[in-house]
Amino acid sequence: MNKDAGRPAKRLSSHERRSLILDAAATVFFEQGYSATSMDAIIERVGGSKRNIYNEFGSKEGLFTAIVSEAAESALRALTAEEIGGRNLRETLTEFAQKLIEIYMSPKLIGVYRVTMAEAFRFPDLAKAFYDRGPGRTALRLAEVLEDAKQRGEIEIDDCRIVADHFTGMLRDNIHLRVVLGLQPPLTVDEKKKVVDSAVAIFLDGILTQPKRPQ
Amino acid sequence: MNKDAGRPAKRLSSHERRSLILDAAATVFFEQGYSATSMDAIIERVGGSKRNIYNEFGSKEGLFTAIVSEAAESALRALTAEEIGGRNLRETLTEFAQKLIEIYMSPKLIGVYRVTMAEAFRFPDLAKAFYDRGPGRTALRLAEVLEDAKQRGEIEIDDCRIVADHFTGMLRDNIHLRVVLGLQPPLTVDEKKKVVDSAVAIFLDGILTQPKRPQ
DNA sequence: CCAGCGTGGTACGTTGCGTTACCATAACCT
DNA sequence: AGGTTATGGTAACGCAACGTACCACGCTGG
């Protein structure tokens, strides 16, 4: 009667084992890509038998989709959970940008980013899920913030969606690309701060010396 | 004695055959990725014998690097060759952005982008070459333009490099990401123009209603 | 203490792929 | 025209990898 309660006790709990497998597999998948990663390589890292993986995830595809979904969700949790409650627009954007660059520069999300992009044709559902929960959701939320400010007359823009995309793009610029390509180590705290401040300043004020024509 | 003059004539010129192989292989590599692409699949597209590929490129790696290098160079040629000679800063930036978005949205460069990112660990030299000749070179050139404007007092910014990165990031934002992920068809001419104008306007003027404090 | 089952490790069947080799054929040069 | 040479097609050779099977071991539970 003890087995009826879901899962019987094991040497390592099923959840622990699953978590270990996911971590090890994520490392290999994110480094080598989907096709170049072998199940043997994963087992070599995590130990145990291949039977474990196949019992838990069914196939290589199942393992891969589980990894990407889980990693994406865990990395993006910070953004969706917390509310953006700055006092004024500049502070709100700064806070927003700080969270965003923190997430985009995290090794885990960089792995998700690379592998999702690489396998977008093979796993279109995964690509859509990643975009919708990540960059898409972010941009939508930001667009709402901008819309509010627009209603209050603080800013004057046309299409909030496009402008929100632009702002997130500034945080995912060449620096991010260099990190993703492995040409540069992840940013230090100071560097992140500098990028955030610079992006916010340009986004709000532009770069022209002369103020905008009041017209 | 006729062979001494480099290459003897063939049914298809060596250059033509090489070009055909490169095109077919690029299509498959850019869709499937490096590891998932088989030489048989390439041969199936281009016809002929595998011997042709191995005589010309030596190996799968050789073919891949040749493809990426060639595709990147051909896609980026438009940007490096022509000079950016707008009359004022706004026109210069607009022209710059138009060329840039045209290149970044081209199917060929999207393929290079995806595959370079995916295989950055396996082919770090390729990643560096792509970045240096593409986004890196672009940002450097733009930074020079900004530096000139800064010297003339037209703009006030701190680090031209970072600001240039920001601008290029605005052109490679979520819209670009959606296209790369296959979630959206390539942009129409009108959409591109809208994005370019929006990015330039924000970059120069910011989004605040009030003009910057003259101080 | 003993039965039962999940687990670790290894080995296997099959498939696909990179690379090379072999032959028939069609084009080029003298 | 005839020989040479490159090309097309097929096949073969290792090798690696997905997924499965087998077997010994140690933990669960009475």
Side-chain angles (χ1 to χ4, degrees):
Chain A
M1 300 293 247
N2 50 351
K3 317 256 181 51
D4 296 334
R7 290 159 189 167
K10 299 170 187 176
R11 308 189 217 189
L12 278 69
S13 78
S14 175
H15 182 68
E16 270 206 359
R17 178 141 302 287
R18 179 190 167 92
S19 188
L20 286 179
I21 293 176
L22 282 176
D23 275 0
T27 305
V28 186
F29 272 123
F30 292 166
E31 275 184 11
Q32 313 277 341
Y34 176 76
S35 295
T37 296
S38 74
M39 302 299 258
D40 288 332
I42 297 171
I43 284 302
E44 204 168 336
R45 274 183 173 267
V46 76
S49 171
K50 278 202 269 188
R51 205 51 200 247
N52 273 324
I53 298 184
Y54 282 96
N55 281 339
E56 183 75 29
F57 301 100
S59 68
K60 188 181 182 181
E61 281 196 20
L63 175 60
F64 182 71
T65 57
I67 285 172
V68 176
S69 304
E70 194 137 331
E73 191 165 354
S74 107
L76 298 170
R77 206 187 312 271
L79 198 61
T80 60
E82 311 188 19
E83 272 309 297
I84 299 109
R87 286 177 289 275
N88 58 39
L89 190 57
R90 191 174 298 265
E91 289 183 11
T92 303
L93 284 178
T94 302
E95 194 178 342
F96 201 88
Q98 281 170 347
K99 288 191 197 307
L100 202 58
I101 201 170
E102 206 66 47
I103 290 174
Y104 275 134
M105 289 293 176
S106 73
K108 184 177 286 188
L109 201 77
I110 286 181
V112 174
Y113 189 73
R114 291 177 66 238
V115 87
T116 304
M117 200 164 289
E119 307 295 340
F121 279 12
R122 196 193 312 261
F123 301 96
D125 295 346
L126 226 50
K128 178 160 175 46
F130 166 70
Y131 180 81
D132 286 345
R133 294 184 209 172
R137 189 181 185 81
T138 304
L140 270 182
R141 183 75 190 94
L142 180 58
E144 289 173 10
V145 172
L146 293 177
E147 188 67 42
D148 286 352
K150 181 180 174 183
Q151 294 301 327
R152 291 196 302 269
E154 294 181 24
I155 60 179
E156 52 176 354
I157 55 182
D158 181 23
D159 190 331
C160 286
R161 288 291 307 277
I162 288 187
V163 174
D165 280 345
H166 285 160
F167 184 69
T168 60
M170 291 176 81
L171 276 312
R172 213 175 53 230
D173 62 356
N174 281 346
I175 300 175
H176 179 255
L177 180 58
R178 284 200 295 272
V179 176
V180 172
L181 291 177
L183 305 176
Q184 176 178 325
L187 266 57
T188 66
V189 175
D190 284 350
E191 288 169 326
K192 286 184 211 164
K193 179 168 166 41
K194 190 173 175 187
V195 170
V196 165
D197 290 344
S198 168
V200 171
I202 291 175
F203 186 67
L204 288 177
D205 304 325
I207 63 171
L208 290 183
T209 306
Q210 307 87 356
K212 297 197 290 185
R213 291 189 297 155
Q215 179 96 10
Chain B
M1 302 293 242
N2 49 352
K3 314 256 180 48
D4 296 336
R7 292 165 186 162
K10 301 168 185 175
R11 312 189 214 186
L12 278 69
S13 79
S14 176
H15 182 68
E16 269 206 0
R17 178 139 304 285
R18 178 189 168 91
S19 187
L20 285 178
I21 293 176
L22 282 176
D23 275 358
T27 305
V28 186
F29 271 125
F30 292 166
E31 276 185 9
Q32 314 276 342
Y34 176 76
S35 295
T37 297
S38 73
M39 303 298 261
D40 287 332
I42 298 171
I43 284 302
E44 203 167 337
R45 273 183 174 270
V46 75
S49 172
K50 283 201 262 187
R51 204 52 196 259
N52 271 325
I53 297 184
Y54 282 94
N55 280 340
E56 183 74 29
F57 300 100
S59 68
K60 190 182 181 182
E61 281 197 19
L63 175 60
F64 183 70
T65 56
I67 285 171
V68 175
S69 305
E70 193 135 334
E73 190 166 355
S74 108
L76 297 170
R77 205 187 313 272
L79 198 61
T80 59
E82 311 188 18
E83 273 308 298
I84 298 108
R87 288 177 287 277
N88 57 39
L89 189 57
R90 190 174 299 266
E91 287 183 12
T92 303
L93 283 179
T94 302
E95 193 179 343
F96 201 87
Q98 281 170 347
K99 289 191 197 307
L100 202 59
I101 201 171
E102 206 67 46
I103 290 174
Y104 274 134
M105 289 292 176
S106 73
K108 184 178 286 188
L109 202 76
I110 286 181
V112 174
Y113 189 72
R114 292 178 66 240
V115 87
T116 303
M117 200 162 289
E119 308 295 338
F121 279 12
R122 197 193 310 260
F123 300 96
D125 295 345
L126 226 49
K128 179 159 174 46
F130 166 70
Y131 180 81
D132 285 345
R133 294 184 208 172
R137 189 181 186 82
T138 304
L140 271 182
R141 183 75 190 94
L142 179 57
E144 291 174 9
V145 172
L146 293 178
E147 189 66 41
D148 287 351
K150 181 180 174 183
Q151 295 300 327
R152 289 195 303 268
E154 295 181 23
I155 60 178
E156 51 176 354
I157 55 182
D158 180 24
D159 190 332
C160 286
R161 286 291 308 278
I162 288 187
V163 173
D165 280 346
H166 285 161
F167 185 70
T168 59
M170 292 175 80
L171 276 313
R172 212 176 53 231
D173 61 356
N174 281 346
I175 300 176
H176 178 253
L177 180 59
R178 284 199 295 273
V179 175
V180 172
L181 290 177
L183 306 176
Q184 176 177 325
L187 267 56
T188 65
V189 175
D190 284 349
E191 289 169 326
K192 286 184 212 164
K193 178 168 168 37
K194 191 173 175 187
V195 170
V196 165
D197 290 344
S198 168
V200 171
I202 291 176
F203 186 67
L204 288 178
D205 304 325
I207 65 171
L208 289 182
T209 306
Q210 306 86 355
K212 296 198 288 187
R213 290 190 296 158
Q215 181 87 10

